[in-house]
Amino acid sequence: AQTVTQSQPEMSVQEAETVTLSCTYDTSESDYYLFWYKQPPSRQMILVIRQEAYKQQNATENRFSVNFQKAAKSFSLKISDSQLGDAAMYFCAYRSAYNNNDMRFGAGTRLTVKP
Amino acid sequence: GAVVSQHPSRVICKSGTSVKIECRSLDFQATTMFWYRQFPKQSLMLMATSNEGSKATYEQGVEKDKFLINHASLTLSTLTVTSAHPEDSSFYICSARPLRGEINEQFFGPGTRLTVL
């Protein structure tokens, strides 16, 4: 079974600085999707960014970018120019391309942004 | 954008009672809806997957007779926690996949906090 590991339970960053959240996963599949979700105090899950495994180019969404290393099974999230509103729980998730009903989440990383 | 709502957002009930949680896709039709459970400071755990008009598929360890799921239409799925007990207290989140759109899209509801006294 696929597993997703987030080794950083908590991270903090100074406002306007850059922070990187780590995520590794374990799979024997060749095709899959990876996601980063943000869960603010409201508990609403918000999609931050997603990456298709077959794409070599790293996904970017404004201040958010990923470093996708398929061979290393690593999918880190970089947040540039951090803002107070970025403070939240961040979950890394994996979904198989062969079973779209199976999305696995990591344990999450709580990000604090210091003013 | 695609919006998923849940009702109620918060519910407190007595032990032994049943609680129904609704999940609605407001501006799209959903072929598949998912129910997750999230304990404090933990990740989301998939409980079950439901497709409109068919029986839900439950994850291992989830009691289907305790967590009844009905997906009666393409915009509504309900989760009923039967004979709730304090250990069922948790945050329940639903998610919906659009009938049309990228197959890897999945939109989440705001969650329902269940407290069983």
Side-chain angles (χ1 to χ4, degrees):
Chain A
Q2 296 80 22
T3 57
V4 179
T5 302
Q6 292 179 249
S7 59
Q8 306 154 317
E10 296 183 354
M11 290 285 284
S12 68
V13 62
Q14 204 71 34
E15 194 176 6
E17 296 295 309
T18 296
V19 65
T20 299
L21 307 184
S22 301
C23 174
T24 59
Y25 56 94
D26 184 28
T27 185
S28 59
E29 298 177 335
S30 59
D31 198 11
Y32 47 86
Y33 305 95
L34 297 165
F35 307 84
W36 277 99
Y37 283 93
K38 171 185 177 180
Q39 188 181 43
S42 67
R43 305 296 290 272
Q44 173 74 59
M45 294 285 283
I46 302 166
L47 176 65
V48 175
I49 200 165
R50 64 185 174 205
Q51 174 85 40
E52 290 88 346
Y54 63 85
K55 290 186 177 179
Q56 292 185 330
Q57 187 173 7
N58 289 325
T60 63
E61 285 288 341
N62 301 313
R63 297 183 296 108
F64 299 88
S65 62
V66 298
N67 183 3
F68 174 47
Q69 301 290 326
K70 191 172 184 179
K73 296 180 183 175
S74 171
F75 183 61
S76 61
L77 174 69
K78 185 171 81 172
I79 306 174
S80 304
D81 186 25
S82 297
Q83 300 176 0
L84 295 177
D86 294 334
M89 280 291 289
Y90 285 82
F91 292 99
C92 178
Y94 170 105
R95 174 188 283 149
S96 167
Y98 307 102
N99 179 2
N100 279 294
N101 291 339
D102 189 10
M103 179 177 270
R104 306 275 173 168
F105 289 87
T109 297
R110 181 172 299 282
L111 177 66
T112 303
V113 181
K114 299 178 180 178
Chain B
V3 178
V4 176
S5 70
Q6 279 185 242
H7 179 79
S9 58
R10 185 182 296 259
V11 57
I12 301 173
C13 69
K14 292 183 179 180
S15 185
T17 61
S18 294
V19 175
K20 181 185 284 189
I21 303 170
E22 291 186 350
C23 175
R24 293 182 184 273
S25 55
L26 297 185
D27 49 2
F28 65 96
Q29 292 181 316
T31 51
T32 307
M33 287 188 172
F34 308 87
W35 287 97
Y36 296 86
R37 185 173 181 177
Q38 185 179 29
F39 289 108
K41 298 184 179 181
Q42 293 190 24
S43 189
L44 283 71
M45 298 299 295
L46 181 65
M47 299 175 65
T49 302
S50 71
N51 290 292
E52 184 264 338
S54 61
K55 290 184 179 180
T57 302
Y58 291 81
E59 293 298 300
Q60 191 173 8
V62 178
E63 300 175 59
K64 62 179 182 180
D65 293 331
K66 181 167 185 62
F67 298 99
L68 300 178
I69 292 173
N70 185 287
H71 193 160
S73 76
L74 286 173
T75 59
L76 174 64
S77 176
T78 60
L79 168 67
T80 301
V81 183
T82 61
S83 186
H85 288 93
E87 58 266 29
D88 299 323
S89 297
S90 188
F91 195 69
Y92 292 87
I93 302 175
C94 76
S95 180
R97 177 180 297 142
L99 178 64
R100 295 178 182 81
E102 295 183 39
I103 198 165
N104 59 351
E105 284 189 301
Q106 191 170 325
F107 300 97
F108 289 83
T112 296
R113 180 173 301 284
L114 170 63
T115 303
V116 185
L117 303 177

